[in-house]
Amino acid sequence: MFLALRELRFARARFGLMGGVVALIAVLMVLLSGLSSGLVNDGVSGLKSMPATAFAFNEGTKTDNAFSRSVVDRGQAETWAEQPGVEEAALMGTAMMNGTTGDGTQVDLALFGVETDSFLAPQIGEGRSISAPDEIVVSSTAADAGLAIGDVVTLERIGVDLTVVGYTDGQATFGHVDLAYLPLDTWQYLASGQSAPGTPTQDAIDSVDFATASTVALKAADGADIDFAAGDAAAGTVTSTLAESFNASPGYSAETMTLEMIQVFLYAICALVVGAFFTVWTIQRRHELAVLRAVGASTGYLLRDGLLQAAIILVVSTVIGILAGLGMGAGLSGTAMPFALEAAPIATATVLTILLGLVGAALAIVRISRVDPLVALGGQR
């Protein structure tokens, strides 16, 4: 302990430079964690907020973009509803559409058609729930795009008018597009290709024979485990758990894998940089270490002393970098960039930065055990 602190004071410029590099790595870790969390929320927050256990897609549907490829019917939903452990099974339709408000504001919407009396009905944060065929509840983040309660959105190409009556409780997006919940039969009316311009009426919706949807949302009973294989065999579907269904969001897999790869390389760089620094530092101190060995210092003492130096540098520098990253991240949270600071990813990044830095330092400091006091001291003559 005495030697470690004394050397930190004596060579503070060199240790300060090393600490600065670690702090910069920690800043990058915070920013990447925030960007990763922001992209996930922007891509699948609508799915994350649903109280669904899993989604069943039509058999043979590819897992990527499954929500836009799959077509299921009422019979498959009823088959799933009869499976052991399933509390409720509900059809859900998805579609991406563009629209324009009365004042000319252009908006992009991910339409989620749900049965308004099912467990898929959105939680309302402001306004009210859906009570008519032409009403929608949109993500709270749609307000930033200029979509207000009471606005009428005219869907492009088909000219159907939908009225915003509420915001969801928190962000609800899919594929980086704001969600708009609407009644399932209205969604089927739009998806049928037989819709007429103007406000959809219940009579017009009932006149269209279109009873399919995109997926069957499943809700497990409390404490029950659903046999997905048996249900798929009976209903002719392929099921993904809620977390697995995130991969069906456009671009989700590519974005998360890219950021995870960058983070892995940053962890490796941290270990290599710290290891290289302590390798050079140990070589420069070889004769001083030999003197300590000659006067009775044990190898274990010198190893512990070196690791303590590394731990002090890593902890102090990482904390400084994390605080700097949080400050920068706070400024990014209100921008158009999808950025979200979450405690768990940042804590994980902090721990891994310190641990992997210690691993790199430990591998370098092991050289101390090979210092021969007689050879090293004799080399001075």
Coordinates of all heavy atoms in Angstrom, one line a residue, residues 286-287 290-291 294 372-381:
R286 N 12.0 -2.4 -12.8 CA 12.5 -3.8 -12.5 C 13.6 -3.7 -11.4 O 13.6 -4.5 -10.5 CB 13.1 -4.4 -13.8 CG 13.5 -5.8 -13.6 CD 14.0 -6.4 -14.9 NE 14.4 -7.8 -14.7 CZ 14.9 -8.6 -15.6 NH1 15.2 -8.1 -16.8 NH2 15.3 -9.8 -15.3
H287 N 14.5 -2.7 -11.5 CA 15.6 -2.7 -10.5 C 15.1 -2.3 -9.2 O 15.6 -2.8 -8.2 CB 16.7 -1.7 -11.1 CG 17.3 -2.2 -12.3 ND1 18.1 -3.3 -12.4 CD2 17.2 -1.6 -13.6 CE1 18.5 -3.5 -13.7 NE2 18.0 -2.5 -14.4
A290 N 13.7 -5.3 -7.7 CA 14.7 -6.2 -7.3 C 15.3 -5.9 -6.0 O 15.6 -6.7 -5.1 CB 15.8 -6.2 -8.4
V291 N 15.4 -4.6 -5.7 CA 15.9 -4.1 -4.4 C 14.9 -4.5 -3.3 O 15.3 -5.0 -2.2 CB 16.1 -2.6 -4.4 CG1 16.4 -2.1 -3.0 CG2 17.2 -2.2 -5.3
A294 N 15.3 -8.1 -2.7 CA 16.5 -8.4 -2.0 C 16.4 -8.1 -0.5 O 17.1 -8.8 0.3 CB 17.7 -7.6 -2.6
D372 N 14.4 -11.5 -10.7 CA 15.5 -12.1 -9.9 C 16.3 -11.0 -9.3 O 17.0 -10.3 -10.0 CB 16.3 -13.0 -10.8 CG 17.4 -13.8 -10.0 OD1 17.6 -13.4 -8.8 OD2 17.9 -14.8 -10.5
P373 N 16.3 -10.9 -8.0 CA 17.0 -9.8 -7.4 C 18.5 -9.8 -7.6 O 19.2 -8.8 -7.9 CB 16.8 -9.9 -5.9 CG 16.3 -11.3 -5.7 CD 15.6 -11.7 -7.0
L374 N 19.1 -11.0 -7.7 CA 20.6 -11.0 -7.9 C 20.9 -10.6 -9.3 O 21.9 -9.8 -9.6 CB 21.1 -12.5 -7.7 CG 20.9 -13.0 -6.2 CD1 21.4 -14.4 -6.1 CD2 21.8 -12.1 -5.3
V375 N 20.2 -11.1 -10.3 CA 20.4 -10.7 -11.7 C 20.2 -9.3 -11.9 O 21.0 -8.5 -12.6 CB 19.6 -11.6 -12.7 CG1 19.8 -11.1 -14.1 CG2 20.0 -13.1 -12.5
A376 N 19.1 -8.8 -11.4 CA 18.7 -7.4 -11.7 C 19.7 -6.4 -11.0 O 20.2 -5.5 -11.6 CB 17.3 -7.1 -11.1
L377 N 20.1 -6.7 -9.8 CA 21.1 -5.9 -9.1 C 22.5 -6.0 -9.8 O 23.2 -5.0 -9.9 CB 21.2 -6.2 -7.6 CG 19.9 -5.9 -6.8 CD1 20.1 -6.5 -5.4 CD2 19.7 -4.4 -6.8
G378 N 22.8 -7.2 -10.2 CA 24.1 -7.4 -10.9 C 24.1 -6.7 -12.2 O 25.2 -6.3 -12.7
G379 N 23.0 -6.5 -12.8 CA 23.0 -5.8 -14.1 C 23.3 -4.3 -14.0 O 23.6 -3.7 -15.0
Q380 N 23.4 -3.8 -12.8 CA 23.7 -2.4 -12.7 C 25.3 -2.2 -12.7 O 25.8 -1.0 -12.8 CB 23.2 -1.8 -11.3 CG 21.7 -1.8 -11.3 CD 21.1 -0.7 -12.3 OE1 21.7 0.3 -12.4 NE2 20.0 -1.1 -12.9
R381 N 26.0 -3.3 -12.5 CA 27.5 -3.1 -12.5 C 28.1 -3.2 -13.8 O 27.6 -3.8 -14.7 CB 28.0 -4.3 -11.6 CG 27.5 -4.2 -10.2 CD 28.0 -5.3 -9.3 NE 27.5 -5.3 -8.0 CZ 27.8 -6.2 -7.0 NH1 28.6 -7.2 -7.3 NH2 27.3 -6.1 -5.8

